[in-house]
Amino acid sequence: MTGLEGTVGLARLVLRRDRVRLPLWLVGVAGVTYGSGSAMAATFPTQASIDAYAASVASSPAVVAMSGPPIALDTLPGIVLNKIELVTVVGVCLMAALTVVRHSRAEEEAGRTELLRAGVVGRHAGGCAALLVASGASVLLGVLVALGLSGASVPGRSALLYGAGTAGLGVVTAAATLCLAQLFVHARAATGAALALVGLAFVLRAAGDVRGDGLVWLSPVGWSQATHVLGAERWWPLGICVGAAIALAWLAFRLSGFRDVGAGLVAPRPGDAVGGRLMSSAFGLAVRQQRGTVVAWAVGVLALALAEGSLADVVRSMAHDNPALEKYLNATGQGSLVDAYLSTILLVLGLLATAFALSATARLRSEETSGRLEALLATGLTRSRWLGSGLAVVGLGAMLVLLLGGLGLGLSFAATTGDWSTALRLPVQVLVYGPAVAALVALAVLMLGWRPDAGGVTWAALGLCFVLGWLGSLLGLPAWVLKVSPFGAAPLLPLQAFTWTGPVLTVMVAVLLGGVGWLGLLHRDIR
């Protein structure tokens, strides 16, 4: 017995179950890559326009932090790769991590792995099948990205190298996630740990690129970008990805042998024998259920904000060393390098707070599918009180994540620059994205009330908001299309002056969507 018996059959089952999910990931990321690359030619029709773009962003720390080292920005292919980098990194990492958790730890938590193991299925077959499918999907995504770039002005060899780097990053992420799946009992904890690891890798790479030091070599994202497409074009960093993936896969299978099926190496803390006063109300129960998620997201976002704010000295030195660029940005109404950097990070914090809110709202659906909600509603608890209490905790948690992110950014920025006014200003400015968070949560409530099985729509909406916010202006989309995103309706602080119109309209839409979803939940059957 090798422990891998039945791997092929389980891999086919994974593909069967994800016959819709995986193609959507592949088409979505590859489609954005191709569409963005094709639109760049119209956005930058002349070499003069390309040179102007290169002069305005090559020294921007926000662009370097988000997209990696600025290579060949004086060419159209260089601009294409620079603008799609963030989309491909986030897309392949999320796809790989979520696929592995869904078909490894989540299967054990649901009890299906134990049933399968009653047949001719080895101990490591489930994890191996999940890893094979996630790795294969990453490789296929790399191929599609390379094909899309080849049709969007990028030379074939460079496109192939970029696609290989994308695939390598996805394979490493999948193997690392499989290791984390051996540690935790619950799929939510494994997913949170995997996303935290991806965030840490991104921060290390961003800090290393902005500072120009060796931190990039501590990050898988840094390994994939160390190929320097359109520059030195090195293939050897991909060997690091392959070696790390093999080592992590071996470690995951070794860890799997040290635990029982359904258990984790990190034992969950046993609960109290008797519930306290907090558990006697619907709101208290919601707080108890969500407190781990809130703390994890708040700490993670705070750490990210502190790390990004600590780069303030680099940002200010870039502005000081390039007075011509600073004067150009101010003359064109684009603000300063410092303001551009802060506005980018604030937008990222808003998107992260939304991701937390959607994750916490999804917990309401899991309470229903697990059967626990039906037992609760058999008591004196009404549906309205249950939903209202859950959404209140989601809203308070999202506000906490936003405030801590803004506070961390402001404190670290102020500590570095000595401008302590930012420590008070940024926590207030980041709240401008509160209505956008509320709008997407309201969309999740609408799905919960009328189409509870279509919860993925809300995550697709968040992905659309991310794409519109990052690439919308360069794609040449009409202004009304950009305003479709609730984040596009918010003023881009501190670059723009604050206005009430966008946030107020967003709140009205959120109230409408949430109210319709609330009515749907009141009148449908509990499944």
Side-chain angles (χ1 to χ4, degrees), residues 64-410:
V64 174
M66 293 295 111
S67 301
I71 298 176
L73 286 183
D74 56 346
T75 65
L76 184 60
I79 295 177
V80 170
L81 296 185
N82 183 262
K83 295 308 296 183
I84 69 167
E85 180 66 32
L86 184 60
V87 176
T88 55
V89 167
V90 173
V92 73
C93 288
L94 288 181
M95 181 187 70
L98 296 178
T99 300
V100 169
V101 172
R102 170 177 164 81
H103 297 289
S104 58
R105 173 51 59 186
E107 290 296 286
E108 291 193 42
E109 185 178 357
R112 288 187 287 268
T113 298
E114 190 170 5
L115 293 176
L116 291 173
R117 288 283 303 280
V120 187
V121 176
R123 167 181 287 274
H124 308 305
C128 186
L131 180 59
L132 287 176
V133 172
S135 300
S138 299
V139 173
L140 182 56
L141 179 59
V143 172
L144 293 176
V145 167
L147 292 175
L149 291 176
S150 297
S153 306
V154 179
R157 176 182 173 85
S158 300
L160 181 61
L161 179 58
Y162 186 88
T166 300
L169 176 59
V171 173
V172 172
T173 303
T177 303
L178 187 60
C179 288
L180 295 174
Q182 314 309 313
L183 302 180
F184 304 101
V185 174
H186 300 293
R188 289 172 61 87
T191 300
L195 296 182
L197 185 62
V198 171
L200 176 62
F202 190 87
V203 169
L204 288 175
R205 195 279 313 156
D209 280 334
V210 173
R211 294 177 182 271
D213 55 29
L215 279 178
V216 293
W217 296 106
L218 300 178
S219 167
V221 181
W223 304 339
S224 68
Q225 293 184 349
T227 53
H228 287 179
V229 181
L230 296 177
E233 298 213 333
R234 307 176 296 190
W235 287 85
W236 62 264
L238 298 180
I240 303 178
C241 294
V242 174
I246 293 174
L248 289 170
W250 175 84
L251 177 61
F253 294 136
R254 290 287 295 172
L255 294 176
S256 177
F258 295 134
R259 65 179 181 84
D260 295 330
V261 177
L265 294 176
V266 178
R269 185 179 65 86
D272 298 329
V274 179
R277 290 185 176 181
L278 187 65
M279 302 290 287
S280 62
S281 65
F283 180 78
L285 177 61
V287 171
R288 177 64 179 81
Q289 290 175 331
Q290 300 281 16
R291 67 180 184 183
T293 303
V294 173
V295 171
W297 275 92
V299 172
V301 170
L302 176 61
L304 173 65
L306 289 172
E308 297 295 343
S310 65
L311 302 177
D313 55 341
V314 182
V315 178
R316 300 192 78 172
S317 65
M318 286 182 175
H320 182 268
D321 296 339
N322 197 343
L325 174 59
E326 189 79 358
K327 184 177 180 180
Y328 167 77
L329 292 176
N330 287 320
T332 56
Q334 300 180 50
S336 65
L337 275 176
V338 175
D339 287 342
Y341 178 76
L342 291 177
S343 64
T344 301
I345 302 304
L346 289 180
L347 176 60
V348 171
L349 295 178
L351 291 169
L352 289 175
T354 307
F356 153 76
L358 294 184
S359 175
T361 306
R363 179 65 181 264
L364 301 177
R365 172 61 177 164
S366 66
E367 288 296 295
E368 180 182 359
T369 56
S370 66
R372 291 187 291 267
L373 176 59
E374 192 171 4
L376 285 174
L377 295 180
T379 65
L381 180 64
T382 64
R383 299 189 188 192
S384 294
R385 284 177 56 203
W386 171 76
L387 181 60
S389 299
L391 292 180
V393 174
V394 171
L396 292 174
M399 292 290 289
L400 178 64
V401 171
L402 279 175
L403 285 173
L404 285 180
L407 182 62
L409 181 64

Side-chain angles (χ1 to χ4, degrees), residues 24-35:
L24 287 177
W25 273 108
L26 297 174
V27 173
V29 177
V32 169
T33 300
Y34 175 75

